[in-house]
Amino acid sequence: MEKELIEVDGRSGGQCLRTALALSSVTKKPCLVFNIRANRPKKGLAQQHLTGLNTLAKISDSKVKGNVLGAERIVFYPKSIKEGNYGVNIGTAGSITLLLQTLTLPLIFSPKKPSFRIFGGTDVPFSPSFNYSKEVFYQFISFLGAKFSFNLKKRGYYPKGKGLISFSKISSKLPLKPFYKVEQDKLNFIKIFAHSTGYPKEASENLSSLTKKLLQEKFPLVDLDEETEFNESIDEKGAGITLIAKFKDGLRTGSSSLQEKNKPPKKVAVQAVEFLLNEINSLKPIDSHLADQIIPFMALAKGHSTFETSALTYHTLNNISVAEKFLDVKFEVKGKITEPAEISVEGIGFKGQSE
């Protein structure tokens, strides 16, 4: 007898689609995602979403209906993850870090360990930068029991997206551990990642210098570390800053800003520093961009989890809605949209489906 489809309204954006696909693969519950990105100027599956969907299907021999560019409705029938070495090419500057949100959960709950080389955008607008994902998100889920190898081979920027990363699971201890943190710990130090491709070497050095000066003014007693990266290129051009604040308890928060046309380097530095300052001054342990990403992990972990975040976002609320459709959980949210909030859930202690 065919399983009933879990129906997810994807009008709010790609996040609902990615989370639905990930949880469908983990739970082996088929899903229908409709109204995909209906609230966006360009509706339907973009290249990044389509590539994530097709990649998840390929590594698991899952059946898909509607996997074409621009589709506003897809049906996904999940199967088990396979071993293999996979090359994935988004084909645009679509975000690699967002694509990986489709793959990370399924890999955690599978005994298999496929490896990936993924081409696309590593540092592009409206998505986590490579360094933020590695230093904040993947660092966080390592506390829960899942460790990944996530390495940068080449930066990729908008509009060409010629970046390359390697990605694979190292280990996952199931069920995942719950997480409780409602206060921000002592700030240990801040690391500056300044990078440029296709600009003179001085571009990334200038970004780092400007950022360091601003940070010294805002955090005179905090140690600073710098990593400056310069890449020659005739067919790719981009630059940016990612800042990672590291706290005594091992948690991290971060911010990013990218060089754009008519955007001077000083503004790039100011944007990154101001966002980081706002997160640190909130005194909350989980930043607003990390909060939505960790929702399904909390639901699948064993036992009670509670965290406080600097700002409640619609992304977080949407991910809660999707998680509650797939799993027998009920989140408690204390706080108003765009304001600090406390989020709690009793996780189900999921250990994975039999292969």
Side-chain angles (χ1 to χ4, degrees):
M1 184 176 178
E2 195 170 274
K3 291 182 180 179
E4 184 178 350
L5 294 174
I6 303 291
E7 297 189 6
V8 176
D9 190 332
R11 71 178 63 243
S12 61
Q15 186 73 14
C16 288
L17 172 69
R18 290 186 291 269
T19 303
L21 291 172
L23 287 173
S24 175
S25 180
V26 167
T27 62
K28 300 299 182 289
K29 296 177 182 178
C31 69
L32 161 66
V33 185
F34 60 97
N35 290 335
I36 296 173
R37 302 173 74 236
N39 290 345
R40 299 299 170 90
K42 195 170 183 179
K43 299 178 174 63
L45 295 176
Q47 194 64 47
Q48 170 249 121
H49 312 108
L50 179 60
T51 306
L53 170 61
N54 285 340
T55 301
L56 183 57
K58 181 178 180 180
I59 68 173
S60 58
D61 287 331
S62 299
K63 183 180 176 183
V64 186
K65 294 180 180 178
N67 52 331
V68 294
L69 199 63
E72 297 181 45
R73 172 189 172 100
I74 65 99
V75 182
F76 184 75
Y77 297 92
K79 290 187 178 180
S80 298
I81 302 293
K82 306 180 297 182
E83 296 285 6
N85 300 311
Y86 297 94
V88 179
N89 189 349
I90 297 176
T92 66
S95 170
I96 292 174
T97 58
L98 290 183
L99 181 148
L100 288 175
Q101 291 179 6
T102 304
L103 304 180
T104 299
L105 266 179
L107 292 176
I108 288 175
F109 289 94
S110 170
K112 308 299 184 184
K113 293 183 178 180
S115 61
F116 302 85
R117 284 170 58 85
I118 307 176
F119 295 85
T122 63
D123 297 82
V124 293
F126 310 114
S127 63
S129 69
F130 166 81
N131 292 107
Y132 177 93
S133 290
K134 180 170 184 173
E135 300 286 335
V136 179
F137 173 70
Y138 285 102
Q139 172 72 8
F140 176 85
I141 63 172
S142 72
F143 296 146
L144 308 184
K147 296 182 179 180
F148 285 81
S149 173
F150 184 35
N151 296 306
L152 179 70
K153 304 299 183 182
K154 183 184 177 185
R155 298 270 179 187
Y157 304 90
Y158 180 82
K160 293 188 176 181
K162 298 197 174 196
L164 172 63
I165 64 96
S166 64
F167 182 78
S168 61
K169 182 179 74 172
I170 298 172
S171 63
S172 54
K173 187 175 181 181
L174 302 176
L176 296 175
K177 297 177 184 176
F179 178 76
Y180 184 91
K181 194 73 177 177
V182 295
E183 294 181 350
Q184 188 184 93
D185 211 334
K186 179 185 177 183
L187 178 61
N188 272 357
F189 70 96
I190 298 172
K191 184 158 186 178
I192 303 166
F193 292 91
H195 51 88
S196 66
T197 297
Y199 285 98
K201 184 179 180 181
E202 292 75 22
S204 53
E205 294 174 345
N206 185 37
L207 279 174
S208 184
S209 177
L210 289 167
T211 305
K212 184 176 182 180
K213 183 178 179 180
L214 290 169
L215 288 172
Q216 287 172 333
E217 293 172 359
K218 303 294 184 181
F219 305 98
L221 302 179
V222 176
D223 290 337
L224 302 178
D225 190 14
E226 298 174 80
E227 186 173 307
T228 303
E229 176 190 323
F230 160 70
N231 300 290
E232 293 183 346
S233 177
I234 59 173
D235 60 355
E236 180 90 304
K237 193 170 187 179
I241 286 280
T242 294
L243 303 178
I244 304 297
K246 302 186 180 185
F247 299 89
K248 186 178 179 180
D249 57 8
L251 285 178
R252 302 175 181 182
T253 189
S255 65
S256 299
S257 184
L258 293 169
Q259 186 89 55
E260 298 169 355
K261 189 177 181 180
N262 300 322
K263 185 177 179 181
K266 179 70 176 289
K267 188 173 182 180
V268 177
V270 168
Q271 282 185 346
V273 172
E274 286 185 346
F275 186 86
L276 187 71
L277 182 64
N278 289 337
E279 291 291 347
I280 292 172
N281 285 346
S282 76
L283 301 180
K284 303 302 181 185
I286 301 297
D287 73 55
S288 57
H289 293 303
L290 180 61
D292 68 273
Q293 297 181 63
I294 65 177
I295 290 298
F297 297 85
M298 303 287 94
L300 291 161
K302 184 179 181 180
H304 186 81
S305 290
T306 296
F307 67 86
E308 291 198 6
T309 181
S310 57
L312 181 63
T313 67
Y314 286 111
H315 274 100
T316 299
L317 293 176
N318 291 333
N319 258 3
I320 287 174
S321 176
V322 175
E324 290 178 345
K325 284 181 177 292
F326 281 91
L327 306 169
D328 186 18
V329 296
K330 183 64 179 177
F331 283 82
E332 181 180 4
V333 179
K334 297 178 181 178
K336 297 178 180 179
I337 197 73
T338 73
E339 295 181 3
E342 180 181 285
I343 299 173
S344 302
V345 70
E346 191 71 27
I348 65 172
F350 193 74
K351 292 184 178 180
Q353 297 280 351
S354 58
E355 295 293 299

